[in-house]
């Protein structure tokens, strides 16, 4: 369509929605109204590609991917839809004609924060790539009423408040009251005439809400189906009329609790009954739904594996195995061992962590009480596994039901999320099962969608790339390699730096407006944003910052490289050490930022409430990416990929996908430091390793003394006594052992940053060489190795 005509049509549609969908007069419309009207106008344009994709899938009776994930960390959608439809410029211009600022309208949308961090963001990137590649797929998850909590700071401490994205209408979803399934809990199991019947004690209803997930250039559109819990029983009018108002609403309140909140725990397992109910709730609804869809066009459930590839994003939906077996046997009369076989041919399981505290285990009595039928099925799966393999690995062990073992045994493939992680999965968590099933574990290194993480969030760099290598790269990211030959070119370098500068200026005005802070755009922007966790070692970054501050103070006239240290991230509400680290960062920031001697060289910024939208502003502005986890602990990381793609250099350990990023960008364009995964294991066996490391490092010794003596908390000198003590006495994540190597490498970073040409060249080579980390590549890998699904266009 001609742009001018398109613009006129879009304008008419926006005004029509403003009037007829929102009931608002143009003269009295708020940014919210304009955002709704624009979104609705855009949503209308998604419906046809959506229907076309569904129709093609049915016509081909194609195999579909079902991606089951407890979390989808989506962020905003309005720009995503605009760029996939290819009318971002038209939308901007149309809003301008209507007297509205497009960027402000876009920023009015709340983030869909239905996830904690990397795992949920990966699921969102995968939806984008599945649609971009034209692979028929459903994402299945929970429509949480409250997403991840909002983080505020009070006197430097984290305060959590409830997030409320559904307080406003969610324009992207379509409610499906007609699509709902009963979900049972508790009760007992009986046998009659050779049939097993589960009689649940309570039942809730899972109701579907569908959101179209549009791919690049709108060539394909899949569905994200999220389940909300609703009561099965009708409203109890009798109680109400008796005056028992609370009693009348009790069943409804109880049911709704299940999809009320996202658990805010990242990589630690909480083992709470409600969590188990959430997991079974969305898994059962999804399995019932995909069986219904299969039977609408097929008749023999024995062929389900030809039509359904079910992927489990971590063990949260691992109950999918027993649930599918239950439905095949109890409802569809398939013999149980055949049902187990069919189920295994459908299931793939992605492992996301090696941290022992993150592996899901349910107390046996709790599990058997909530899911008695599934408990029995698990016993049968376990017996068969023990008999057929001679293995002694049990699913039910020491009074626990182990979801990792269940997922492994019930999946035809198990994958790790980076090369290193996959090898460690084979050696550690699933070492014994790997010996029994040596072909089951495969690797699929994580990726990120370049549409959101470059095309949309970094417009200055996008334009430079377009004008240098053309516009075919967003769905073929390896084309970025063509930038490499310009890495030394002075004029290209100048433009590359100008793009970075624009992004920094955008960040400065954003920070200024939100938090009233600014920074020097010539300074190196050194960023660590991710969940706050001991293994990610924000503490090591902070200790190094203090050491650098000490160094500057001792010799304030030297030509120090000015740095702005940015921290961002949330701590799980019950994770005390992580919360103390947040408090310490804020306390240190207060002292350092007010030091007149060092203020030209060092500044700390910790904007609260890190989320996808903040990442989209911070990452394009960054010079240095901190990926400094204890080797062997970060399964992959995806933040590391976002930074490298946007031309930040990495300082990092040989952990997760850092290893592969370094291979792709070249060792000379990556600042490596620290112990390797195997050295970490060895060091832990040495007695008193932490104390010895501190005694060998005068710099570190001094920094720890400063913290312990209250330099950063004069009003409460012992505030951080326990953290310092922990550094001396346990330091499980080896902050002390890697400190010197980290400090020295940071000084090499300083030197490199002073050499502008060298730094720019390295940055360009990072962007040019990380095309492989597109989630399109990852999804092609899953499709080929695990799902055996094809693109339908
Ligand atoms: C990418 C992303 C993450 C994951 O970051 P890691 O550095 O890989 O832990 C977490 N949160 C948000 C908001 C993200 O966008």
């Amino acid at each position: 369509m001609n742009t001018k005509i398109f613009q006129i049509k879009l304008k008419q549609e926006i005004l029509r929605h403003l009037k007829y969908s929102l009931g608002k007069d143009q003269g009295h419309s708020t940014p919210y109204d304009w955002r709704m009207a624009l979104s609705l106008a855009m949503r209308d344009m998604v419906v046809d590609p959506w229907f076309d994709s569904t129709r093609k899938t049915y016509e081909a009776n194609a195999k579909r991917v079902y991606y089951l994930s407890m979390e989808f960390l989506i962020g905003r959608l309005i720009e995503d839809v605009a760029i996939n439809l290819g009318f971002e410029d038209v939308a901007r211009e149309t809003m301008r004609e209507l007297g509205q600022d497009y960027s402000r309208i876009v920023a009015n949308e709340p983030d869909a924060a239905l996830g904690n961090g990397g795992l949920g963001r990966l699921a969102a990137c995968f939806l984008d790539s599945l649609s971009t590649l034209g692979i028929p797929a459903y994402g299945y998850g929970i429509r949480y009423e409250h997403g991840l909590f909002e983080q505020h700071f009070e006197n430097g401490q984290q305060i959590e408040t409830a997030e409320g994205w559904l307080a406003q209408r969610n324009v992207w979803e379509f409610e499906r009251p007609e699509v709902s399934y009963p979900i049972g809990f508790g009760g007992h199991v009986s046998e009659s005439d050779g049939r097993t019947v589960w009689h649940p004690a309570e039942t809730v209803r899972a109701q579907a809400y569908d959101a179209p997930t549009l791919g690049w250039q709108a060539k394909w559109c899949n569905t994200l189906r999220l389940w909300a819990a609703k009561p099965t029983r009708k409203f109890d009018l009798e109680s109400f009329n008796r005056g028992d108002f609370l009693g009348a609403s009790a069943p409804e309140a109880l049911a709704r609790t299940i999809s009320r909140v996202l658990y805010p725990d990242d990589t630690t397992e909480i083992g709470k009954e409600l969590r188990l109910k959430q997991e079974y709730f969305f898994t059962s609804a999804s399995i019932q739904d995909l069986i219904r869809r299969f039977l609408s066009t097929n008749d023999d459930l024995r062929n389900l594996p030809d039509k359904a590839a079910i992927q489990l994003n971590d063990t949260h939906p691992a109950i999918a195995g027993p649930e599918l077996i239950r439905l095949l046997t109890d409802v569809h009369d398939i013999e149980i061992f055949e049902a187990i076989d069919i189920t295994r041919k459908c299931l793939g399981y992605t492992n996301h962590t090696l941290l022992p505290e993150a592996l899901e285990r349910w107390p046996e009595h709790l599990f058997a009480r909530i899911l008695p039928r599934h408990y029995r099925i698990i016993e049968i799966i376990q017996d068969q596994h023990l008999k057929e393999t001679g293995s002694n690995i049990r699913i039910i062990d020491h009074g626990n039901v182990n979801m990792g073992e269940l997922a492994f045994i019930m999946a035809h493939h198990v994958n790790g999320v980076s090369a290193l992680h996959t090898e460690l999965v084979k050696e550690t968590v699933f070492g014994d099962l790997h010996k029994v099933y040596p072909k089951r574990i495969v690797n699929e290194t994580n990726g990120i969608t370049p549409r959101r993480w470059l095309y949309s969030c970094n417009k200055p760099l996008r334009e430079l790339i377009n004008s240098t290598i053309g516009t075919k790269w967003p769905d073929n990211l390896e084309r970025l390699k063509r930038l490499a030959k310009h890495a030394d070119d002075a004029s290209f370098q100048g433009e590359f730096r100008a793009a970075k500068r624009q992004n920094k200026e955008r960040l400065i005005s954003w920070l200024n407006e939100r938090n009233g802070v600014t920074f020097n755009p010539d300074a190196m922007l050194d960023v660590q944003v991710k969940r706050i966790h001991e293994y990610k070692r924000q503490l090591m970054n902070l200790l190094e910052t203090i050491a650098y501050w000490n160094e500057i103070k001792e010799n304030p006239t030297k030509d120090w490289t000015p740095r702005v240290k940015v921290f961002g991230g949330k701590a799980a509400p019950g994770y005390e050490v992580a919360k103390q680290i947040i408090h310490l960062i804020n306390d240190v920031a207060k002292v350092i930022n007010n030091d007149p001697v060092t203020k030209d060289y060092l500044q700390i910024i910790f904007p609260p409430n890190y989320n996808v939208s903040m990442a989209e502003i911070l990452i394009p502005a960054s010079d240095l990416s901190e990926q400094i986890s204890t080797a062997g602990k970060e399964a992959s990381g995806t933040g590391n990929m976002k930074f490298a793609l946007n031309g930040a250099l990495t300082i990092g350990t040989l952990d997760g996908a850092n290893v592969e990023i370094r291979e792709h960008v070249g060792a000379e364009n990556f600042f490596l430091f620290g112990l390797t995964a195997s050295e970490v294991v060895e060091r832990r066996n040495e007695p008193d390793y932490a104390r010895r490391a501190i005694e060998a490092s005068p710099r570190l010794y001094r920094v720890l003394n400063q913290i312990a003596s209250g330099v950063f908390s004069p009003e409460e000198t012992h505030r951080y006594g326990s953290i310092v003590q922990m550094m001396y006495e346990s330091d499980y994540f080896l902050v002390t052992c890697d400190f010197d190597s980290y400090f020295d490498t940071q000084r090499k970073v300083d030197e490199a940053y002073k050499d502008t040409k060298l730094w720019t060249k390295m940055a360009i080579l990072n962007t040019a060489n990380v095309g492989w980390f597109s989630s399109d590549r990852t999804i092609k890998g899953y499709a080929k190795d695990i799902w055996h699904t094809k693109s339908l266009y």
Side-chain angles (χ1 to χ4, degrees):
M1 209 190 298
N2 172 303
T3 310
K4 198 66 217 163
I5 299 174
F6 191 32
Q7 205 160 306
I8 293 166
K9 183 166 153 36
L10 181 64
K11 190 167 167 182
Q12 285 170 351
E13 288 299 300
I14 293 169
L15 291 173
R16 186 175 65 81
H17 276 296
L18 196 62
K19 185 170 174 187
Y20 295 106
S21 306
L22 293 149
K24 276 296 184 89
D25 179 57
Q26 212 178 316
H28 292 96
S29 299
T30 62
Y32 169 81
D33 299 320
W34 285 110
R35 197 250 300 170
M36 285 290 161
L38 173 62
S39 303
L40 288 167
M42 295 199 322
R43 193 184 77 172
D44 291 348
M45 298 181 213
V46 175
V47 173
D48 282 320
W50 194 23
F51 285 8
D52 285 347
S53 303
T54 308
R55 195 174 25 74
K56 282 186 191 138
T57 307
Y58 272 99
E59 276 168 14
N61 194 10
K63 185 170 186 177
R64 294 171 176 88
V65 173
Y66 293 106
Y67 196 79
L68 270 61
S69 180
M70 196 83 172
E71 304 190 4
F72 287 91
L73 187 51
I74 295 166
R76 294 181 180 134
L77 279 172
I78 191 163
E79 259 203 304
D80 209 52
V81 174
I83 65 161
N84 284 323
L85 289 168
F87 75 15
E88 188 197 10
D89 291 341
V90 175
R92 187 185 304 278
E93 184 52 26
T94 307
M95 292 318 281
R96 200 188 56 76
E97 279 180 17
L98 290 165
Q100 302 301 314
D101 174 7
Y102 176 72
S103 327
R104 269 196 53 206
I105 299 302
V106 166
N108 180 269
E109 182 176 354
D111 271 37
L114 309 183
N116 274 287
L119 175 147
R121 184 53 234 174
L122 184 75
C125 284
F126 280 5
L127 292 180
D128 186 280
S129 286
L130 282 160
S131 288
T132 292
L133 292 168
I135 297 173
Y138 274 79
Y140 277 127
I142 298 176
R143 183 178 178 270
Y144 299 107
E145 221 172 294
H146 303 286
L148 185 60
F149 67 84
E150 281 178 7
Q151 177 194 55
H152 312 263
F153 296 141
E154 264 178 45
N155 304 318
Q157 287 178 281
Q158 172 174 296
I159 305 290
E160 304 100 28
T161 57
E163 184 285 333
W165 71 303
L166 291 180
Q168 299 175 347
R169 174 175 168 197
N170 174 15
V171 278
W172 305 111
E173 71 185 6
F174 292 88
E175 187 176 0
R176 304 278 188 227
E178 78 284 11
V179 183
S180 93
Y181 300 94
I183 314 293
F185 300 103
H188 66 280
V189 175
S190 72
E191 309 274 346
S192 64
D193 313 331
R195 287 186 76 99
T196 309
V197 186
W198 174 28
H199 309 272
E202 13 158 11
T203 307
V204 302
R205 219 159 41 78
Q207 191 196 300
Y209 287 76
D210 288 348
T213 63
L214 192 63
W216 179 240
Q217 294 176 332
K219 286 190 273 190
W220 192 264
C221 186
N222 287 314
T223 303
L224 172 61
R225 173 161 281 185
L226 299 178
W227 302 103
K230 309 267 157 124
T232 39
R233 273 186 289 160
K234 291 216 179 71
F235 180 64
D236 186 354
L237 190 61
E238 209 180 302
S239 306
F240 189 84
N241 287 341
R242 261 192 280 113
D244 180 8
F245 305 129
L246 271 182
S249 352
E252 174 154 12
L254 193 71
R256 295 230 156 115
T257 308
I258 291 180
S259 52
R260 184 93 67 191
V261 286
L262 167 77
Y263 273 95
D265 296 77
D266 185 60
T267 71
T268 39
E269 191 268 305
I270 7 78
K272 292 278 169 19
E273 178 170 331
L274 180 61
R275 169 79 174 193
L276 179 60
K277 285 185 169 173
Q278 286 187 334
E279 295 184 353
Y280 178 62
F281 165 78
F282 97 94
T283 304
S284 173
S286 308
I287 300 288
Q288 292 186 63
D289 194 45
L290 69 88
I291 288 178
R292 180 200 50 76
R293 188 170 303 109
F294 174 86
L295 290 175
S296 73
T297 46
N298 302 271
D299 39 45
D300 190 349
L301 275 165
R302 286 169 183 82
N303 300 323
L304 186 65
D306 299 333
K307 301 296 171 192
I310 304 169
Q311 190 65 30
L312 311 178
N313 194 23
D314 213 318
T315 57
H316 317 141
I319 195 66
E323 174 67 357
L324 181 50
I325 295 166
R326 180 183 75 86
L327 293 166
L328 291 176
T329 53
D330 297 1
V331 180
H332 297 281
D333 293 321
I334 293 176
E335 189 271 329
I336 186 141
F337 291 104
E338 188 170 15
I340 293 176
D341 197 46
I342 295 167
T343 298
R344 185 173 294 117
K345 287 187 175 133
C346 293
L347 292 181
Y349 154 52
T350 305
N351 173 279
H352 282 274
T353 177
L354 304 166
L355 298 177
E357 68 270 30
L359 296 174
E360 282 195 299
R361 307 174 201 288
W362 296 103
E364 204 178 334
H365 57 88
L366 167 72
F367 192 98
R369 176 164 58 77
I370 307 282
L371 299 170
R373 177 60 180 138
H374 300 80
Y375 181 80
R376 286 207 197 177
I377 291 171
I378 290 171
E379 288 179 321
I380 296 167
I381 296 168
Q382 170 168 284
D383 282 348
Q384 187 201 34
H385 159 76
L386 294 175
K387 276 199 201 97
E388 287 187 357
T389 64
S391 147
N392 59 0
I393 298 298
R394 309 172 69 86
I395 302 169
I396 304 171
D397 201 16
H398 291 94
N400 286 316
V401 180
N402 295 315
M403 301 308 265
E405 278 72 17
L406 173 63
F408 190 110
I409 290 167
M410 279 315 305
H412 58 89
H413 282 94
V414 175
N415 74 284
V417 290
S418 71
L420 173 66
H421 168 68
T422 299
E423 287 316 302
L424 293 172
V425 167
K426 290 179 186 170
E427 288 166 21
T428 61
V429 261
F430 294 128
D432 293 320
L433 285 169
H434 174 58
K435 286 194 194 101
V436 185
Y437 303 103
K439 289 192 180 152
R440 194 163 290 187
I441 301 178
V442 295
N443 177 243
E444 302 298 345
T445 299
N446 282 170
I448 55 170
T449 168
R451 273 74 64 185
R452 182 177 291 262
W453 296 112
L454 177 53
Y455 190 93
S456 152
C457 73
N458 193 342
K459 293 184 182 77
L461 184 55
R462 173 230 286 184
E463 294 310 319
L464 175 59
I465 296 171
N466 281 347
S467 65
T468 311
I469 62 163
T471 56
K472 292 188 190 151
W473 53 271
D475 58 348
N476 190 357
L477 203 61
E478 302 243 30
R479 284 180 87 92
L480 292 183
K481 279 213 180 339
R482 295 166 187 224
L483 293 171
K485 69 165 186 272
H486 304 278
D488 277 313
D489 176 341
S491 92
F492 184 78
Q493 282 206 350
E495 293 180 274
F496 195 87
R497 277 197 300 275
K500 185 62 73 185
R501 180 71 173 216
Q502 274 190 48
N503 291 324
K504 283 188 178 179
E505 268 151 17
R506 177 177 69 147
L507 172 62
I508 289 172
S509 64
W510 182 85
L511 279 171
N512 196 17
E513 198 172 303
R514 237 170 127 261
N515 308 314
V517 292
T518 60
F519 64 86
N520 166 16
D522 290 324
M524 182 202 310
L525 196 70
D526 168 344
V527 181
Q528 187 174 22
V529 286
K530 47 184 75 242
R531 287 300 286 255
I532 309 292
H533 202 293
E534 288 163 278
Y535 85 81
K536 291 178 183 277
R537 299 200 293 192
Q538 283 90 357
L539 182 58
M540 186 168 75
N541 186 350
L542 187 69
L543 299 180
E544 190 276 332
T545 306
I546 298 169
Y548 188 48
W549 177 64
N550 288 335
E551 220 96 342
I552 300 171
K553 278 172 92 74
E554 245 151 53
N555 193 356
T557 54
K558 212 181 127 182
D559 63 334
W560 302 103
T561 302
R563 279 214 201 208
V564 178
K565 285 261 181 191
V566 179
F567 292 87
K570 297 176 183 177
Y575 188 175
E576 280 309 322
V577 177
K579 289 184 136 179
Q580 280 213 325
I581 291 170
I582 288 177
H583 196 181
L584 180 57
I585 296 170
N586 284 324
D587 274 350
V588 171
K590 205 159 67 179
V591 172
I592 290 184
N593 293 346
N594 288 304
D595 186 336
V597 179
T598 58
K599 73 171 183 6
D600 290 340
Y601 299 112
L602 189 58
Q603 183 183 356
I604 299 174
I605 304 176
F606 192 164
N609 205 40
Y610 177 59
N611 60 11
V612 171
S613 294
M614 192 193 292
E616 288 168 355
I617 293 179
L618 272 173
I619 292 172
S622 302
D623 296 304
L624 186 68
S625 161
E626 298 272 353
Q627 307 300 336
I628 60 176
S629 52
T630 313
K633 293 296 168 192
E634 188 75 90
S636 162
T638 49
N640 47 6
M641 301 167 189
K642 299 169 195 165
F643 280 97
L645 183 60
N646 284 278
L649 303 188
T650 305
I651 182 165
T653 48
L654 278 181
D655 200 15
N658 291 357
V659 178
E660 290 152 271
I661 291 174
R662 180 167 169 267
E663 282 164 9
H664 277 85
V665 306
E668 67 284 10
N669 300 311
F670 187 106
F671 296 99
L672 179 72
F673 74 94
L675 301 173
T676 63
S678 57
E679 287 166 353
V680 163
V681 174
E682 282 170 30
R683 185 64 63 94
R684 279 212 192 97
N685 289 327
E686 287 178 23
D688 237 11
Y689 60 82
R691 188 178 299 275
R692 282 159 57 183
I694 296 166
E695 280 163 6
S697 170
R699 268 196 198 99
L700 176 58
Y701 176 78
R702 178 171 173 204
V703 170
L704 291 173
N705 260 350
Q706 288 170 304
I707 295 171
S709 63
V711 169
F712 305 104
S713 54
E715 66 281 20
E716 188 187 353
T717 48
H718 295 301
R719 183 175 290 163
Y720 300 107
S722 63
I723 286 194
V724 174
Q725 190 184 356
M726 183 175 80
M727 284 296 102
Y728 275 89
E729 290 174 4
S730 47
D731 188 24
Y732 183 75
F733 296 102
L734 291 94
V735 166
T736 56
C737 304
D738 275 344
F739 179 85
D740 277 347
S741 157
Y742 179 55
F743 184 92
D744 294 342
T745 307
Q746 286 287 24
R747 303 294 72 81
K748 290 185 192 151
V749 172
D750 288 338
E751 288 314 302
Y753 192 75
K754 280 187 199 148
D755 186 343
T756 309
K757 274 189 186 159
L758 171 73
W759 185 278
T760 311
K761 177 182 177 179
M762 292 168 78
I764 293 167
L765 290 175
N766 266 262
T767 301
N769 288 311
V770 293
W772 189 77
F773 296 92
S774 166
S775 45
D776 299 345
R777 185 271 311 153
T778 312
I779 288 297
K780 283 183 197 160
Y782 278 86
K784 179 168 168 289
D785 309 335
I786 302 176
W787 302 331
H788 306 298
T789 50
K790 290 195 298 263
S791 171
L792 278 202
Y793 65 69

